[in-house]
Amino acid sequence: MTEVRARRPVSTRKRGPFAPYRLLSSMMYNIGKLRVFERGASDMDKIHINLGKDSYDILIDTGLVRKAGPAIRDLTGAEKAAIITEDGIDKLYGMSLVKSLEEAGVRTQMIVVPSSEKSRTLQVVRRVYGALVDFGLGSSDTLIALGGRVVGDITGFTAATYHRGISYVQFPTSVLSQIGSSIGGKVTLDLDIPAGKNVVGTFYQPKAVFVDPGMAKTLPRRYFHNGLGEAVKLGCVADKALFELFEQVSSDMDIYRVLPEIIRRCCAIKAHYVEIDPFSKGERRILDFGHTIGGAIERCLRYNDAEITHGEATAIGMYLITRRSELEGLTKRGTTSRLEYVLKSLSLPVSTTVPYDILYEAVKHDKKIKGDVIQITLIKEIGKGFLYTLPVKEIGQFLKS
């Protein structure tokens, strides 16, 4: 049985002020035609996602986990908050966020789920429902996702369905979730059946996404680079300057110094595509660069992080598909070698041990297949992604290492 632990911290601390931020009229920068980015007086960066009544902001600031309570209170109007988090993260960051919320007058409980891809199920969500009912969380209260992609999906799905929908906030703790899965409202669960991966889900936008770049320093090196693979992908399809940052750095220390810039650029790209394609039916699929092959590799290895992470699988997918598209004249010459250099500098793989025939069968089950054709993402050159449709029978030529 999967354990879900509920913790009810008791706090008698006085309320503390949240450092206010103001948007200045001057622009920090903009990424091509994607996004104007502004910085407030408190050095908190803000990106607005315009989705009508579902609009929200991405707020970026180092140390944010220690001071976000008043902002979450004002944003949601909640008297109670349940933080859904995972093993390890509860001790690293959970109590800091609890303290900030309690000092802001928000009664808080922490719910800890196992740190595993296998937690992203209806069975775990059912136990979370029970913990929320025991806590007395009402329809006007809020949930907070404090963790990576799995916690974000569990929290988003729970928020969408508990009391027929309550507010929630994303507080991603991994680079991968900070620049990817926490933005856009896409939440999915897995069913314990064959082909049950990502079968259940919905689109349910958060009230805000809080990003603390300082959290990256507590990630194991492999998982830090796993998230950076996502950043490389976004640079490939939408931001040449972002990609070039990775060509210029020579160590993890260099990356840590420019990480806030990397995160800001990635969030701006993701925000742009969420705005123009909120339900991921068209242009947003450009962000799936490398996912067709990468997802097939993950399926073949049973989504076992010990074997391969999402970022590693995507890296292989990006490299293989770009190498072939360059040979076909669809991608500018020299692009593959630039991509290979960056991926290898981040210790990300460019080949797989999964046999060709097994990988080809896995690709043929990709959800983007319509009839006998499949739509994939390619790049014309670094920073310029495009959607390309080809017969499924021809996808095999992209798989050969």
Side-chain angles (χ1 to χ4, degrees):
M1 177 180 292
T2 303
E3 180 186 14
V4 175
R5 293 178 282 125
R7 296 178 179 174
R8 170 75 186 105
V10 177
S11 175
T12 58
R13 302 178 183 89
K14 296 179 181 179
R15 297 185 185 183
F18 183 72
Y21 63 91
R22 292 184 296 104
L23 287 184
L24 303 180
S25 58
S26 60
M27 293 181 292
M28 278 289 293
Y29 59 80
N30 69 61
I31 300 174
K33 296 181 179 179
L34 292 183
R35 174 85 30 188
V36 171
F37 203 63
E38 299 177 336
R39 172 168 288 176
S42 68
D43 285 338
M44 181 185 291
D45 295 318
K46 174 181 176 180
I47 299 173
H48 183 69
I49 302 180
N50 185 6
L51 295 173
K53 65 180 179 62
D54 293 325
S55 298
Y56 59 96
D57 294 325
I58 305 168
L59 302 171
I60 307 169
D61 191 17
T62 297
L64 194 53
V65 72
R66 298 188 298 274
K67 56 187 179 183
I72 294 173
R73 176 201 62 204
D74 295 344
L75 188 67
T76 64
E79 295 181 358
K80 291 182 179 180
I83 300 170
I84 300 177
T85 188
E86 58 192 279
D87 289 321
I89 300 299
D90 57 330
K91 297 179 179 67
L92 273 174
Y93 304 116
M95 292 311 299
S96 294
L97 185 55
V98 167
K99 177 183 176 183
S100 182
L101 287 162
E102 294 266 348
E103 288 179 344
V106 181
R107 190 164 177 246
T108 307
Q109 175 167 278
M110 193 156 51
I111 299 170
V112 185
V113 302
S115 179
S116 168
E117 183 75 19
K118 295 179 181 179
S119 295
R120 206 173 61 145
T121 64
L122 288 169
Q123 289 84 352
V124 169
V125 169
R126 187 179 300 119
R127 295 186 180 98
V128 171
Y129 290 148
L132 298 180
V133 171
D134 290 344
F135 180 46
L137 198 81
S139 59
S140 61
D141 295 319
T142 196
L143 298 181
I144 302 169
L146 181 66
R149 181 175 62 93
V150 171
V151 164
D153 279 344
I154 292 170
T155 306
F157 188 88
T158 302
T161 51
Y162 184 73
H163 284 305
R164 295 174 297 279
I166 66 171
S167 69
Y168 80 110
V169 169
Q170 288 274 14
F171 216 125
T173 59
S174 68
V175 175
L176 184 64
S177 57
Q178 288 176 342
I179 64 177
S181 60
S182 67
I183 305 166
K186 185 189 295 185
V187 293
T188 57
L189 299 179
D190 302 332
L191 297 180
D192 189 20
I193 59 173
K197 191 72 177 175
N198 296 328
V199 168
V200 176
T202 187
F203 285 90
Y204 194 66
Q205 302 294 344
K207 283 290 186 182
V209 179
F210 290 81
V211 177
D212 186 338
M215 290 178 168
K217 292 185 178 180
T218 62
L219 290 171
R221 185 173 184 270
R222 184 186 181 201
Y223 287 95
F224 178 49
H225 287 195
N226 175 58
L228 295 177
E230 181 79 5
V232 171
K233 179 194 77 173
L234 293 172
C236 283
V237 300
D239 187 355
K240 180 180 178 181
L242 171 60
F243 183 89
E244 289 173 344
L245 279 176
F246 290 102
E247 292 181 307
Q248 296 161 8
V249 298
S250 59
S251 67
D252 281 359
M253 289 304 297
D254 288 343
I255 295 173
Y256 284 128
R257 280 192 286 269
V258 296
L259 186 61
E261 173 82 358
I262 291 170
I263 289 174
R264 287 192 294 262
R265 285 183 171 272
C266 290
C267 289
I269 294 166
K270 186 68 181 285
H272 167 74
Y273 282 102
V274 169
E275 276 191 356
I276 64 175
D277 185 14
F279 297 105
S280 197
K281 298 293 186 183
E283 287 187 66
R284 185 169 163 183
R285 290 183 175 178
I286 283 177
L287 304 183
D288 290 341
F289 180 48
H291 286 191
T292 298
I293 297 175
I297 293 170
E298 287 184 280
R299 284 193 294 277
C300 291
L301 298 176
R302 300 179 182 273
Y303 298 93
N304 182 355
D305 270 6
E307 293 281 345
I308 197 162
T309 65
H310 176 72
E312 291 164 350
T314 300
I316 297 169
M318 290 191 292
Y319 174 77
L320 292 180
I321 211 162
T322 301
R323 188 179 65 175
R324 186 65 196 188
S325 66
E326 187 174 325
L327 289 172
E328 295 288 333
L330 299 167
T331 298
K332 182 179 178 180
R333 290 184 64 181
T335 300
T336 306
S337 62
R338 292 179 69 186
L339 178 58
E340 181 180 14
Y341 170 79
V342 167
L343 293 176
K344 287 184 175 179
S345 74
L346 296 172
S347 302
L348 292 170
V350 295
S351 62
T352 178
T353 57
V354 177
Y356 168 83
D357 55 340
I358 295 176
L359 187 57
Y360 181 47
E361 286 301 313
V363 168
K364 289 196 295 185
H365 291 90
D366 191 280
K367 62 184 178 182
K368 293 182 287 295
I369 291 175
K370 303 295 182 185
D372 59 355
V373 299
I374 183 171
Q375 189 178 64
I376 59 176
T377 303
L378 303 178
I379 53 175
K380 294 178 182 178
E381 59 182 281
I382 298 298
K384 294 183 179 180
F386 68 102
L387 296 174
Y388 182 74
T389 302
L390 74 162
V392 175
K393 63 183 180 181
E394 294 182 12
I395 192 67
Q397 64 189 344
F398 288 87
L399 305 179
K400 296 177 181 179
S401 298

